[in-house]
Amino acid sequence: MNTQPKMMKHHVCIAVGINQYQYLQPLNYAQKDAEAIYKFWVDDAGFPQDKSLLITDNSPQVSRMSTYPSQENILDWVESFCKEQLSHEDVLWFFFSGYGFSKEGQDYLLPIDGNPAQLETTGIPIQKLFDNLKAAPTDKILVLLDINRSQGSHAGESVGTQTVELARQLQIPTILSCQPDELSRETSALRQGFFTSALLEGLKAGETSTLDQLIQFLEVRLPELTEQHIRPKQNPVCAVYPANKRLQALLPENRQVASVSSSNGMREMNMATVEPYQNGNVPVSEDPLKVSTSLNRGNGDLGTQTNEPAPKEDLSSNSATSVPQTNPESPAHSTEDTMTDSSFLQRLILWSGATALVLLLGVFLTNKPIFIGQKTAKSSIETATVVPASKPTSAPVTTETAPPPQTPPTADQLLIQSKLLLKDTSASGFSRAIFVARQIPDGDQKFKEAQADIEQWSQTILDIAEGRAQSQNLQGAVDALKLLPDANPAIYKQGQQQLEQWNAQLDLLNNNQGILSQAKALIKPDQASSYSNAIAQAEQIPADQPGYSEAQKLINQWGNEIWEIAQSRAQKKQYTNAIEAAELVPQNASAYPAAQKAIPDWKTKAKQKK
């Protein structure tokens, strides 16, 4: 008998919201978005506060560590949470509200110190963020990204395309605030972004216990909300692979809000709809940016689903978006916010009467010849179910006509179908297009056109891979090349040669990432020697190997933190300890000149103190 205690499940969350960008026009409500989401998680959903992190322009320190939304802090906190805070059964929510950009097919979130002109070095690559999330011991993760806000010349026209592709490849459920060709907007009427407002409305109304229900709610409510405020439509992008992850429940079981019955427009659970998701083979749209399903509501948490009834909680009074209808500025909710017993009874009577009328109409149309006295050739079959025969009659012999054989698609149809697959301009899209175009036989008059397209699309996959490699995304480059088919021998051979080189570099990168991970593990807060040991570990990475630039950034960061420790000691008049710390600042750290300048002064003060 196993007496080992069952591992406790926790809900862990990170909310990031940035207003005061250093290189862009400030946003108005991104910080409020993150604060509202964080407040819901902690106050309403019951997430433990010690496992809930808020990162904004002025969020407080946590365990004496800064939560300022810089590039290094955001990446460090995400990596720390994934490696140290999560277990196999835990659930992680990640929310970001702020600017997002795309360059050469690569998506970036912009931290507060991010420069759109230097995205590769100052932005947060979506690839890196997702790699950190994928490294977590749990697969119960939901990413919510309110990005693509910029309308200026820096705006990435296709931001979100790579994000959806990565969500599919790494199987990390992800919801984006708008389509790549749309803008994610905020409004002073709601004092929030439209996406966050709709998201909180769905969560607080208790109508979205499962991920699929949240997706259905957002797909309807978000464009509706933007239209109500006379703004261009905003449609969310929902990438959830495999499809059965849509059954995941969202919140802790004891925090689910009981749903109102079908009188307010909610549907009852239909098991015929649920089963395909449980089998994992539900049809999914070929376009990853237009995902829709028909699953209904359940309850539980993001990792498991339960049939136990959830306790009722009235969260509507705390909703930031569900405003009483007497407020002329609030979006109309009709009776979804409040509903009396009498209105429920009225609706029930109306629904029952309408259902009966539809059934009677169906019976009449099905048996119309009987009611109006017409004769039909099928009377021996159709009337037998309505008018009982006085004595048995033999059934007429009928001959079944075989369905006509399916006509294979023409070359023109194949070319059109292949080009429709290029909408998301991803490596996988071009690979699928090549597969379709290769079905055109060499004797067809469209064969040469298809071969020209195949050559161009093969070269495009190779270009996408090379672009990723140039932006230090070796794993993304390798993943793209693996999608390159052998349709064009010359390009395929070039791709295989490049793949061999990048795989070798990727092995070096993984090894060097291991070195950096070991270096980070050596650090102990307020212990200058631990930072010095970590620097020595990071210096093992040669300048000609991948990972060197990241190592140099960490060395500079750790050198500056040693300098801060030295200054702290000097302020406490611990000059000898301050000198010891300052001497550990490496020469290639930006704080090195200041440390060298302070050492003689501190030596003098140390002698005077004696």
Side-chain angles (χ1 to χ4, degrees):
M1 181 176 178
N2 185 8
T3 59
Q4 186 175 1
K6 185 178 180 181
M7 184 173 293
M8 194 170 184
K9 180 187 300 182
H10 297 288
H11 283 70
V12 177
C13 57
I14 303 173
V16 183
I18 306 169
N19 280 352
Q20 300 300 321
Y21 279 94
Q22 297 177 12
Y23 296 93
L24 285 167
Q25 180 179 354
L27 296 171
N28 294 316
Y29 302 112
Q31 179 173 326
K32 284 186 175 294
D33 287 349
E35 291 171 346
I37 290 290
Y38 175 85
K39 185 177 185 300
F40 170 79
W41 282 335
V42 174
D43 294 349
D44 296 348
F47 288 18
Q49 191 164 2
D50 61 343
K51 294 182 177 293
S52 303
L53 177 65
L54 179 64
I55 300 178
T56 66
D57 301 12
N58 51 19
S59 52
Q61 287 188 347
V62 175
S63 300
R64 300 183 64 186
M65 302 295 290
S66 171
T67 60
Y68 185 71
S70 64
Q71 180 198 51
E72 292 178 355
N73 280 346
I74 293 174
L75 288 174
D76 286 349
W77 274 114
V78 172
E79 183 178 8
S80 172
F81 262 61
C82 290
K83 288 185 177 180
E84 302 171 11
Q85 300 290 332
L86 293 172
S87 68
H88 178 71
E89 293 297 322
D90 288 343
V91 179
L92 173 63
W93 290 62
F94 178 85
F95 173 86
F96 177 88
S97 181
Y99 281 113
F101 293 88
S102 182
K103 182 177 181 181
E104 296 178 354
Q106 308 298 302
D107 287 348
Y108 297 85
L109 302 181
L110 207 66
I112 198 166
D113 53 349
N115 185 348
Q118 299 174 337
L119 283 175
E120 297 88 346
T121 56
T122 66
I124 297 175
I126 287 290
Q127 176 80 55
K128 189 175 185 66
L129 174 68
F130 273 46
D131 285 345
N132 283 337
L133 295 174
K134 188 64 177 179
T138 180
D139 64 347
K140 304 172 186 67
I141 300 172
L142 177 58
V143 176
L144 303 162
L145 301 177
D146 193 353
I147 60 174
N148 191 29
R149 292 175 176 271
S150 180
Q151 303 181 50
S153 59
H154 295 295
E157 294 180 358
S158 61
V159 60
T161 301
Q162 186 206 17
T163 303
V164 170
E165 184 182 20
L166 289 172
R168 176 171 54 195
Q169 291 176 0
L170 302 179
Q171 297 186 357
I172 298 176
T174 302
I175 302 178
L176 292 90
S177 58
C178 64
Q179 297 284 334
D181 58 348
E182 298 174 346
L183 293 173
S184 185
R185 302 174 184 274
E186 52 186 8
T187 173
S188 57
L190 298 172
R191 300 186 64 80
Q192 279 181 336
F194 284 109
F195 175 74
T196 301
S197 183
L199 176 64
L200 284 171
E201 182 178 335
L203 291 172
K204 290 189 174 185
E207 299 181 5
T208 54
S209 346
T210 65
L211 178 55
D212 184 77
Q213 292 162 4
L214 179 61
I215 289 172
Q216 290 189 60
F217 182 88
L218 289 174
E219 286 176 342
V220 174
R221 183 57 181 150
L222 182 54
E224 177 184 77
L225 193 61
T226 50
E227 280 194 325
Q228 286 178 354
H229 289 265
I230 319 178
R231 299 295 177 86
K233 267 191 179 182
Q234 187 174 321
N235 297 279
V237 177
C238 306
V240 182
Y241 302 91
N244 58 7
K245 283 198 172 185
R246 290 173 176 258
L247 283 174
Q248 294 174 342
L250 295 176
L251 303 174
E253 296 176 10
N254 61 343
R255 290 286 177 164
Q256 294 297 325
V257 181
S259 302
V260 187
S261 66
S262 59
S263 60
N264 67 350
M266 292 178 58
R267 301 180 296 274
E268 296 179 358
M269 179 64 77
N270 184 344
M271 293 310 297
T273 308
V274 174
E275 286 173 1
Y277 286 86
Q278 294 172 333
N279 297 332
N281 57 2
V282 65
V284 179
S285 170
E286 285 293 331
D287 186 353
L289 299 179
K290 295 186 182 298
V291 182
S292 62
T293 62
S294 59
L295 189 63
N296 297 305
R297 293 164 170 77
N299 53 19
D301 59 40
L302 188 60
T304 58
Q305 189 172 8
T306 176
N307 293 324
E308 296 179 4
K312 294 187 177 181
E313 287 185 347
D314 183 8
L315 299 180
S316 59
S317 60
N318 297 328
S319 173
T321 57
S322 298
V323 185
Q325 296 180 4
T326 54
N327 187 343
E329 295 183 359
S330 65
H333 296 282
S334 67
T335 57
E336 290 183 5
D337 295 325
T338 58
M339 184 179 68
T340 63
D341 292 340
S342 59
S343 65
F344 169 78
L345 183 58
Q346 292 170 359
R347 286 180 179 222
L348 183 60
I349 293 171
L350 288 174
W351 278 48
S352 300
T355 303
L357 183 60
V358 170
L359 290 174
L360 288 173
L361 182 60
V363 171
F364 173 77
L365 292 176
T366 303
N367 302 279
K368 181 178 178 182
I370 298 172
F371 287 108
I372 63 177
Q374 293 180 354
K375 296 181 179 180
T376 68
K378 299 180 182 178
S379 60
S380 61
I381 297 174
E382 294 180 356
T383 61
T385 60
V386 179
V387 181
S390 58
K391 55 184 177 180
T393 58
S394 59
V397 178
T398 59
T399 58
E400 294 185 359
T401 303
Q406 291 186 353
T407 305
T410 65
D412 284 328
Q413 290 172 334
L414 289 172
L415 282 176
I416 293 172
Q417 181 183 352
S418 65
K419 290 173 182 177
L420 286 175
L421 294 171
L422 304 178
K423 288 186 293 184
D424 61 357
T425 64
S426 65
S428 59
F430 285 103
S431 181
R432 293 195 302 271
I434 292 171
F435 173 81
V436 174
R438 291 182 76 176
Q439 299 177 38
I440 298 175
D442 57 4
D444 194 282
Q445 60 180 355
K446 293 289 185 178
F447 178 75
K448 288 186 178 180
E449 180 182 347
Q451 291 302 305
D453 287 338
I454 287 172
E455 180 179 358
Q456 178 184 350
W457 298 338
S458 297
Q459 184 62 51
T460 301
I461 293 176
L462 189 59
D463 292 342
I464 290 173
E466 289 176 348
R468 293 178 180 181
Q470 290 173 5
S471 62
Q472 307 301 316
N473 180 9
L474 281 176
Q475 184 61 61
V478 168
D479 290 341
L481 276 188
K482 288 179 179 178
L483 296 170
L484 178 64
D486 59 356
N488 185 287
I491 296 176
Y492 180 74
K493 182 179 179 180
Q494 182 182 354
Q496 290 302 300
Q497 292 172 347
Q498 194 67 69
L499 182 62
E500 184 177 351
Q501 296 177 15
W502 288 342
N503 272 326
Q505 293 182 30
L506 191 58
D507 289 340
L508 284 174
L509 177 61
N510 291 334
N511 179 68
N512 291 338
Q513 290 290 345
I515 292 175
L516 292 180
S517 295
Q518 293 173 6
K520 292 176 182 178
L522 295 173
I523 292 177
K524 298 179 181 178
D526 298 326
Q527 187 174 326
S529 60
S530 70
Y531 286 93
S532 181
N533 293 335
I535 290 172
Q537 180 87 359
E539 287 175 340
Q540 297 177 19
I541 299 177
D544 59 345
Q545 290 189 7
Y548 174 77
S549 59
E550 183 180 354
Q552 293 304 303
K553 287 176 62 177
L554 288 173
I555 289 171
N556 179 65
Q557 174 189 335
W558 294 337
N560 293 339
E561 289 177 1
I562 293 174
W563 170 234
E564 291 177 1
I565 292 173
Q567 289 178 302
S568 175
R569 293 176 180 178
Q571 289 175 357
K572 299 175 183 177
K573 298 184 179 181
Q574 300 173 356
Y575 298 114
T576 302
N577 293 336
I579 293 168
E580 292 176 355
E583 289 176 341
L584 295 176
V585 177
Q587 293 184 6
N588 52 348
S590 58
Y592 179 77
Q596 292 299 306
K597 182 179 179 181
I599 288 174
D601 181 47
W602 291 344
K603 285 182 177 179
T604 301
K605 292 181 178 179
K607 290 180 181 179
Q608 293 174 352
K609 187 177 179 182
K610 292 181 179 179

